[in-house]
Amino acid sequence: AQSVSQHNHHVILSEAASLELGCNYSYGGTVNLFWYVQYPGQHLQLLLKYFSGDPLVKGIKGFEAEFIKSKFSFNLRKPSVQWSDTAEYFCAVNDMRFGAGTRLTVKP
Amino acid sequence: DGGITQSPKYLFRKEGQNVTLSCEQNLNHDAMYWYRQDPGQGLRLIYYSQIVNDFQKGDIAEGYSVSREKKESFPLTVTSAQKNPTAFYLCASSIERDSTYEQYFGPGTRLTVT
């Protein structure tokens, strides 16, 4: 069965700090990988996705993620976070299996 | 203005009563989904439907039922058999793009059963 693990439940950073949120999945077949974001009071929305090709994927608002097949990982990164990045981030595999989410709090 | 609507935003019910949550989309998407979101557990799939008049159970379908009589609508009924129904329920629809399916989410319904 497919499963997704997000190891960080709550991350607290100061503005301008670098961010890396971990995501590992277990699935033996072809995977499509997604990161979704839920800003306070807003709908869940797609941040970025990987389906094939370049394993380094760039998304909206300066986020990127790297697919490392040998590690079954799809970690989300941003070099310098802003207060407006405060949100909950969800990793998903094959559009129906989600991780538990990571709450990011950015302190101004 | 295209999107997914869920109503109501907040719903309160007494234990033992069935309750139906509405989900409507005008995006012309074929597939629709229901998730339950609990703190620390992320989104768990309840049911999904890839085409009208067809749907499949997700990981936690027990105590729930759905119908898909129209492409635009995918209502979820939380029955009295659901042991722990208080939760935040999210509806989504998806479109195929770049050989994958991108999901679009509604605003959610927070159900409280007492």
Side-chain angles (χ1 to χ4, degrees), chain A residues 43, chain B residues 4-13 19-25 34 73-78 88-91 106-111:
Chain A
H43 300 197
Chain B
I4 299 174
T5 56
Q6 291 185 245
S7 60
K9 189 172 182 180
Y10 298 97
L11 192 54
F12 298 89
R13 279 295 183 270
V19 59
T20 297
L21 281 59
S22 166
C23 177
E24 304 279 331
Q25 56 104 354
W34 274 106
S73 179
F74 191 40
L76 173 75
T77 296
V78 184
F88 187 59
Y89 291 88
L90 281 169
C91 178
T109 292
R110 188 167 297 281
L111 172 65

Tab-separated table of all heavy atoms in Angstrom, chain A residues 43, chain B residues 4-13 19-25 34 73-78 88-91 106-111:
chain	number	residue	atom	x	y	z
A	43	HIS	N	-8.069	27.755	0.965
A	43	HIS	CA	-8.163	26.402	0.444
A	43	HIS	C	-6.773	25.798	0.301
A	43	HIS	O	-5.777	26.506	0.115
A	43	HIS	CB	-8.770	26.414	-0.971
A	43	HIS	CG	-10.135	26.995	-1.045
A	43	HIS	ND1	-10.965	26.783	-2.130
A	43	HIS	CD2	-10.832	27.787	-0.219
A	43	HIS	CE1	-12.090	27.415	-1.939
A	43	HIS	NE2	-12.038	28.041	-0.802
B	4	ILE	N	-14.908	25.024	-6.509
B	4	ILE	CA	-15.593	23.984	-5.757
B	4	ILE	C	-16.251	24.639	-4.552
B	4	ILE	O	-15.609	25.390	-3.820
B	4	ILE	CB	-14.601	22.907	-5.289
B	4	ILE	CG1	-13.936	22.258	-6.493
B	4	ILE	CG2	-15.320	21.850	-4.452
B	4	ILE	CD1	-12.832	21.293	-6.136
B	5	THR	N	-17.521	24.349	-4.378
B	5	THR	CA	-18.226	24.895	-3.233
B	5	THR	C	-18.650	23.763	-2.314
B	5	THR	O	-19.082	22.693	-2.778
B	5	THR	CB	-19.460	25.712	-3.654
B	5	THR	OG1	-20.304	24.890	-4.456
B	5	THR	CG2	-19.049	26.923	-4.460
B	6	GLN	N	-18.494	24.003	-1.030
B	6	GLN	CA	-18.947	23.067	-0.022
B	6	GLN	C	-19.847	23.835	0.939
B	6	GLN	O	-19.511	24.936	1.370
B	6	GLN	CB	-17.767	22.487	0.760
B	6	GLN	CG	-16.883	21.554	-0.046
B	6	GLN	CD	-15.804	20.931	0.817
B	6	GLN	OE1	-14.630	21.171	0.616
B	6	GLN	NE2	-16.218	20.112	1.772
B	7	SER	N	-20.958	23.213	1.250
B	7	SER	CA	-21.853	23.875	2.197
B	7	SER	C	-22.453	22.846	3.140
B	7	SER	O	-22.649	21.692	2.777
B	7	SER	CB	-22.966	24.619	1.432
B	7	SER	OG	-23.706	23.700	0.662
B	8	PRO	N	-22.739	23.283	4.358
B	8	PRO	CA	-22.374	24.581	4.936
B	8	PRO	C	-20.921	24.588	5.389
B	8	PRO	O	-20.247	23.565	5.322
B	8	PRO	CB	-23.328	24.696	6.124
B	8	PRO	CG	-23.503	23.272	6.569
B	8	PRO	CD	-23.475	22.439	5.318
B	9	LYS	N	-20.452	25.706	5.895
B	9	LYS	CA	-19.076	25.792	6.388
B	9	LYS	C	-18.960	25.089	7.740
B	9	LYS	O	-17.961	24.434	8.034
B	9	LYS	CB	-18.676	27.258	6.521
B	9	LYS	CG	-17.207	27.478	6.819
B	9	LYS	CD	-16.866	28.958	6.739
B	9	LYS	CE	-15.377	29.160	6.998
B	9	LYS	NZ	-15.011	30.599	6.922
B	10	TYR	N	-19.994	25.260	8.573
B	10	TYR	CA	-20.049	24.610	9.887
B	10	TYR	C	-21.372	23.857	9.966
B	10	TYR	O	-22.408	24.358	9.555
B	10	TYR	CB	-19.977	25.629	11.020
B	10	TYR	CG	-18.698	26.426	11.049
B	10	TYR	CD1	-18.634	27.699	10.475
B	10	TYR	CD2	-17.551	25.926	11.645
B	10	TYR	CE1	-17.460	28.429	10.479
B	10	TYR	CE2	-16.364	26.655	11.670
B	10	TYR	CZ	-16.342	27.900	11.082
B	10	TYR	OH	-15.173	28.625	11.103
B	11	LEU	N	-21.309	22.662	10.559
B	11	LEU	CA	-22.487	21.824	10.664
B	11	LEU	C	-22.468	21.138	12.025
B	11	LEU	O	-21.450	20.594	12.435
B	11	LEU	CB	-22.489	20.787	9.538
B	11	LEU	CG	-23.736	19.965	9.270
B	11	LEU	CD1	-24.946	20.870	9.065
B	11	LEU	CD2	-23.516	19.096	8.047
B	12	PHE	N	-23.612	21.194	12.692
B	12	PHE	CA	-23.731	20.578	14.006
B	12	PHE	C	-24.861	19.561	13.962
B	12	PHE	O	-25.931	19.825	13.431
B	12	PHE	CB	-24.027	21.647	15.069
B	12	PHE	CG	-22.927	22.671	15.199
B	12	PHE	CD1	-22.947	23.807	14.400
B	12	PHE	CD2	-21.888	22.484	16.091
B	12	PHE	CE1	-21.922	24.747	14.504
B	12	PHE	CE2	-20.874	23.422	16.202
B	12	PHE	CZ	-20.895	24.555	15.406
B	13	ARG	N	-24.604	18.378	14.529
B	13	ARG	CA	-25.604	17.328	14.556
B	13	ARG	C	-25.551	16.592	15.877
B	13	ARG	O	-24.513	16.556	16.542
B	13	ARG	CB	-25.362	16.319	13.415
B	13	ARG	CG	-25.873	16.753	12.074
B	13	ARG	CD	-27.391	16.867	12.040
B	13	ARG	NE	-27.878	17.223	10.719
B	13	ARG	CZ	-28.050	18.472	10.307
B	13	ARG	NH1	-27.745	19.490	11.108
B	13	ARG	NH2	-28.533	18.711	9.107
B	19	VAL	N	-26.069	12.757	8.359
B	19	VAL	CA	-25.933	14.127	7.864
B	19	VAL	C	-25.244	14.082	6.506
B	19	VAL	O	-24.340	13.285	6.280
B	19	VAL	CB	-25.141	15.000	8.864
B	19	VAL	CG1	-23.750	14.450	9.110
B	19	VAL	CG2	-25.072	16.439	8.388
B	20	THR	N	-25.714	14.929	5.590
B	20	THR	CA	-25.161	14.957	4.235
B	20	THR	C	-24.429	16.269	3.996
B	20	THR	O	-24.973	17.353	4.216
B	20	THR	CB	-26.259	14.777	3.185
B	20	THR	OG1	-26.853	13.483	3.361
B	20	THR	CG2	-25.680	14.856	1.771
B	21	LEU	N	-23.191	16.141	3.527
B	21	LEU	CA	-22.360	17.293	3.200
B	21	LEU	C	-22.375	17.486	1.687
B	21	LEU	O	-22.216	16.525	0.922
B	21	LEU	CB	-20.921	17.058	3.667
B	21	LEU	CG	-20.593	17.253	5.150
B	21	LEU	CD1	-21.417	16.338	6.036
B	21	LEU	CD2	-19.103	17.036	5.388
B	22	SER	N	-22.539	18.723	1.294
B	22	SER	CA	-22.647	19.044	-0.122
B	22	SER	C	-21.294	19.392	-0.731
B	22	SER	O	-20.457	20.043	-0.092
B	22	SER	CB	-23.609	20.222	-0.285
B	22	SER	OG	-23.525	20.787	-1.565
B	23	CYS	N	-21.092	18.975	-1.989
B	23	CYS	CA	-19.916	19.368	-2.751
B	23	CYS	C	-20.330	19.543	-4.209
B	23	CYS	O	-20.854	18.616	-4.821
B	23	CYS	CB	-18.814	18.327	-2.648
B	23	CYS	SG	-17.359	18.738	-3.657
B	24	GLU	N	-20.108	20.728	-4.740
B	24	GLU	CA	-20.451	21.048	-6.123
B	24	GLU	C	-19.239	21.677	-6.807
B	24	GLU	O	-18.546	22.487	-6.202
B	24	GLU	CB	-21.603	22.047	-6.175
B	24	GLU	CG	-22.862	21.619	-5.438
B	24	GLU	CD	-23.714	20.683	-6.244
B	24	GLU	OE1	-23.667	20.777	-7.495
B	24	GLU	OE2	-24.433	19.853	-5.650
B	25	GLN	N	-19.006	21.298	-8.067
B	25	GLN	CA	-17.925	21.911	-8.827
B	25	GLN	C	-18.405	22.299	-10.215
B	25	GLN	O	-19.227	21.597	-10.807
B	25	GLN	CB	-16.714	20.961	-8.915
B	25	GLN	CG	-17.007	19.588	-9.488
B	25	GLN	CD	-16.561	19.367	-10.914
B	25	GLN	OE1	-16.094	20.284	-11.591
B	25	GLN	NE2	-16.709	18.138	-11.402
B	34	TRP	N	-13.478	12.826	-1.602
B	34	TRP	CA	-13.767	13.282	-0.246
B	34	TRP	C	-12.636	12.852	0.679
B	34	TRP	O	-12.229	11.683	0.672
B	34	TRP	CB	-15.079	12.703	0.283
B	34	TRP	CG	-16.277	13.498	-0.095
B	34	TRP	CD1	-17.213	13.191	-1.029
B	34	TRP	CD2	-16.693	14.740	0.484
B	34	TRP	NE1	-18.182	14.172	-1.085
B	34	TRP	CE2	-17.880	15.136	-0.152
B	34	TRP	CE3	-16.171	15.563	1.484
B	34	TRP	CZ2	-18.566	16.305	0.167
B	34	TRP	CZ3	-16.839	16.732	1.810
B	34	TRP	CH2	-18.028	17.092	1.149
B	73	SER	N	-21.708	17.124	-8.953
B	73	SER	CA	-22.073	16.971	-7.552
B	73	SER	C	-21.607	15.642	-6.972
B	73	SER	O	-21.743	14.585	-7.618
B	73	SER	CB	-23.603	17.072	-7.452
B	73	SER	OG	-24.025	16.901	-6.135
B	74	PHE	N	-21.099	15.691	-5.746
B	74	PHE	CA	-20.592	14.469	-5.106
B	74	PHE	C	-20.878	14.576	-3.601
B	74	PHE	O	-19.986	14.782	-2.794
B	74	PHE	CB	-19.089	14.351	-5.376
B	74	PHE	CG	-18.467	13.025	-4.997
B	74	PHE	CD1	-19.130	11.821	-5.239
B	74	PHE	CD2	-17.200	12.973	-4.427
B	74	PHE	CE1	-18.542	10.603	-4.926
B	74	PHE	CE2	-16.605	11.756	-4.094
B	74	PHE	CZ	-17.274	10.576	-4.344
B	75	PRO	N	-22.122	14.408	-3.192
B	75	PRO	CA	-22.457	14.557	-1.774
B	75	PRO	C	-21.976	13.387	-0.931
B	75	PRO	O	-21.946	12.247	-1.386
B	75	PRO	CB	-23.996	14.628	-1.782
B	75	PRO	CG	-24.389	13.917	-3.033
B	75	PRO	CD	-23.295	14.172	-4.032
B	76	LEU	N	-21.610	13.707	0.294
B	76	LEU	CA	-21.128	12.716	1.256
B	76	LEU	C	-22.106	12.627	2.420
B	76	LEU	O	-22.450	13.655	3.016
B	76	LEU	CB	-19.754	13.121	1.784
B	76	LEU	CG	-19.179	12.275	2.935
B	76	LEU	CD1	-18.673	10.929	2.403
B	76	LEU	CD2	-18.033	13.006	3.633
B	77	THR	N	-22.552	11.430	2.746
B	77	THR	CA	-23.406	11.224	3.907
B	77	THR	C	-22.593	10.576	5.019
B	77	THR	O	-21.962	9.524	4.802
B	77	THR	CB	-24.614	10.348	3.564
B	77	THR	OG1	-25.416	11.044	2.593
B	77	THR	CG2	-25.464	10.078	4.803
B	78	VAL	N	-22.608	11.216	6.149
B	78	VAL	CA	-21.956	10.670	7.340
B	78	VAL	C	-23.057	9.961	8.119
B	78	VAL	O	-24.006	10.603	8.601
B	78	VAL	CB	-21.311	11.782	8.186
B	78	VAL	CG1	-20.565	11.187	9.364
B	78	VAL	CG2	-20.379	12.629	7.326
B	88	PHE	N	-13.007	17.781	10.056
B	88	PHE	CA	-13.051	18.737	8.962
B	88	PHE	C	-13.048	17.934	7.675
B	88	PHE	O	-12.176	17.098	7.463
B	88	PHE	CB	-11.829	19.660	9.047
B	88	PHE	CG	-11.829	20.801	8.078
B	88	PHE	CD1	-12.857	21.734	8.088
B	88	PHE	CD2	-10.805	20.967	7.165
B	88	PHE	CE1	-12.864	22.809	7.214
B	88	PHE	CE2	-10.794	22.046	6.276
B	88	PHE	CZ	-11.831	22.955	6.301
B	89	TYR	N	-14.049	18.162	6.818
B	89	TYR	CA	-14.210	17.373	5.595
B	89	TYR	C	-13.907	18.232	4.372
B	89	TYR	O	-14.458	19.329	4.212
B	89	TYR	CB	-15.632	16.812	5.501
B	89	TYR	CG	-15.892	15.751	6.538
B	89	TYR	CD1	-16.367	16.098	7.806
B	89	TYR	CD2	-15.647	14.406	6.266
B	89	TYR	CE1	-16.596	15.129	8.775
B	89	TYR	CE2	-15.868	13.431	7.225
B	89	TYR	CZ	-16.339	13.802	8.481
B	89	TYR	OH	-16.552	12.833	9.432
B	90	LEU	N	-13.041	17.705	3.522
B	90	LEU	CA	-12.624	18.412	2.320
B	90	LEU	C	-13.062	17.643	1.083
B	90	LEU	O	-12.874	16.435	0.989
B	90	LEU	CB	-11.109	18.565	2.279
B	90	LEU	CG	-10.494	19.673	3.137
B	90	LEU	CD1	-8.987	19.528	3.192
B	90	LEU	CD2	-10.870	21.036	2.575
B	91	CYS	N	-13.601	18.370	0.140
B	91	CYS	CA	-13.960	17.820	-1.159
B	91	CYS	C	-12.957	18.339	-2.183
B	91	CYS	O	-12.475	19.483	-2.069
B	91	CYS	CB	-15.370	18.262	-1.523
B	91	CYS	SG	-15.943	17.705	-3.133
B	106	GLY	N	-12.063	22.313	-2.200
B	106	GLY	CA	-13.072	23.228	-1.707
B	106	GLY	C	-12.661	23.813	-0.364
B	106	GLY	O	-11.603	23.465	0.169
B	107	PRO	N	-13.485	24.682	0.204
B	107	PRO	CA	-13.141	25.346	1.465
B	107	PRO	C	-13.338	24.470	2.697
B	107	PRO	O	-12.877	24.811	3.775
B	107	PRO	CB	-14.094	26.544	1.497
B	107	PRO	CG	-15.258	26.091	0.703
B	107	PRO	CD	-14.721	25.200	-0.373
B	108	GLY	N	-14.038	23.349	2.531
B	108	GLY	CA	-14.226	22.435	3.652
B	108	GLY	C	-15.491	22.684	4.453
B	108	GLY	O	-16.062	23.781	4.437
B	109	THR	N	-15.933	21.629	5.135
B	109	THR	CA	-17.056	21.702	6.080
B	109	THR	C	-16.583	21.131	7.406
B	109	THR	O	-16.062	20.017	7.445
B	109	THR	CB	-18.262	20.893	5.580
B	109	THR	OG1	-18.822	21.521	4.425
B	109	THR	CG2	-19.341	20.801	6.666
B	110	ARG	N	-16.772	21.901	8.456
B	110	ARG	CA	-16.404	21.406	9.789
B	110	ARG	C	-17.647	20.841	10.441
B	110	ARG	O	-18.606	21.568	10.715
B	110	ARG	CB	-15.803	22.499	10.652
B	110	ARG	CG	-15.230	21.966	11.977
B	110	ARG	CD	-14.356	22.965	12.689
B	110	ARG	NE	-13.157	23.318	11.931
B	110	ARG	CZ	-12.064	22.577	11.859
B	110	ARG	NH1	-11.998	21.430	12.506
B	110	ARG	NH2	-11.014	22.993	11.157
B	111	LEU	N	-17.653	19.545	10.668
B	111	LEU	CA	-18.793	18.844	11.251
B	111	LEU	C	-18.506	18.559	12.721
B	111	LEU	O	-17.444	18.024	13.061
B	111	LEU	CB	-19.041	17.517	10.512
B	111	LEU	CG	-20.077	16.584	11.114
B	111	LEU	CD1	-21.467	17.225	11.062
B	111	LEU	CD2	-20.089	15.244	10.383
